[in-house]
Amino acid sequence: MAVESPRVTSIVVEAGEYPDLVRQYRVSGVPKTVVNGSVEILGSRPEEDFVRAAVGALPAVAP
Amino acid sequence: MAILSTADTARVREMLGAMVDPVRLVFFTQTLNCETCEPTGRILKELAELSDLITVEEHNLLLERDEAAKLGIDRVPAIAVLGAQDYGIRFLGIPSGYEFMSLLDAVLTVSKADSGLGEASRALLAGLPSPLELQVFVTPT
């Protein structure tokens, strides 16, 4: 997704090494994706579902 | 001691044959209070040995804060996967076990400058109205 769009950044976080981030984002299982620090996508999903969920986390109109 | 087995080495080398653009793995490390930094450096070095198109650039987070800030990195170990441009792909923590495959996949995707996504996904990502940051929490096993 990050390669597809210049607006997307993707950070893979090894949960075991960053207990502070795990606490901050209440990670209780993996994979878990946090979109823009708030919206959560749990588990792994088919590609298109995942993209839809991630893009759906954005406000409809740019601020 | 090598981290990758001989069989893995051969397989990874073969996969990396599909690379197109050179890839820089910009690695941030520190010497104290980072158990996984040294093994992460070794994994990256082994990976870079398998393709002429991969280079590893090591930086000390504490001594090179500016470089780290430019890439949005404030932790160790951290890796920025850069190709013809910076696509915004980062890895925090050691890329071992299953995460090694994720790193390999990122290297290949960046090198090909092609997401490999389906048409529907590409359409959804075209013209995003604002930045989208994905933090993907994983475990190596």
Side-chain angles (χ1 to χ4, degrees):
Chain A
M1 286 172 69
V3 169
E4 188 63 34
S5 167
R7 292 208 139 157
V8 177
T9 52
S10 177
I11 306 159
V12 178
V13 184
E14 207 286 275
E17 289 188 56
Y18 299 103
D20 58 326
L21 293 178
V22 165
R23 266 194 306 275
Q24 184 180 349
Y25 296 108
R26 297 186 177 83
V27 178
S28 54
V30 293
K32 168 168 167 169
T33 303
V34 179
V35 186
N36 287 352
S38 56
V39 179
E40 301 176 353
I41 303 174
L42 300 176
S44 75
R45 299 198 191 177
E47 175 198 304
E48 198 187 318
D49 286 0
F50 183 90
V51 174
R52 205 173 285 282
V55 173
L58 290 177
V61 179
Chain B
M1 190 186 76
I3 292 169
L4 290 173
S5 71
T6 311
D8 286 343
T9 297
R11 189 156 158 265
V12 171
R13 194 192 299 275
E14 190 188 326
M15 290 171 78
L16 294 174
M19 286 182 71
V20 181
D21 296 331
V23 170
R24 276 197 305 149
L25 300 173
V26 185
F27 168 46
F28 287 86
T29 184
Q30 66 190 35
T31 38
L32 296 174
N33 298 320
C34 180
E35 271 179 41
T36 55
C37 281
E38 195 271 333
T40 296
R42 274 192 289 143
I43 289 171
L44 298 183
K45 188 163 166 281
E46 282 190 34
L47 178 58
E49 280 167 5
L50 302 180
S51 169
D52 292 341
L53 291 173
I54 303 178
T55 49
V56 179
E57 212 181 282
E58 188 172 314
H59 295 279
N60 185 303
L61 179 71
L62 301 175
L63 302 177
E64 295 165 90
R65 288 263 179 212
D66 290 352
E67 191 65 28
K70 261 190 254 168
L71 294 168
I73 284 168
D74 58 1
R75 290 162 185 273
V76 288
I79 305 153
V81 183
L82 310 182
Q85 63 185 75
D86 180 3
Y87 298 101
I89 297 180
R90 309 285 184 264
F91 282 77
L92 300 184
I94 186 167
S96 64
Y98 188 74
E99 284 323 299
F100 181 75
M101 289 309 294
S102 300
L103 176 64
L104 193 56
D105 188 55
V107 166
L108 286 168
T109 306
V110 161
S111 181
K112 292 174 187 168
D114 182 348
S115 67
L117 293 174
E119 283 311 313
S121 300
R122 289 181 198 255
L124 284 163
L125 292 166
L128 285 180
S130 49
L132 187 66
E133 184 197 73
L134 305 170
Q135 282 175 292
V136 186
F137 288 88
V138 298
T139 50
T141 46

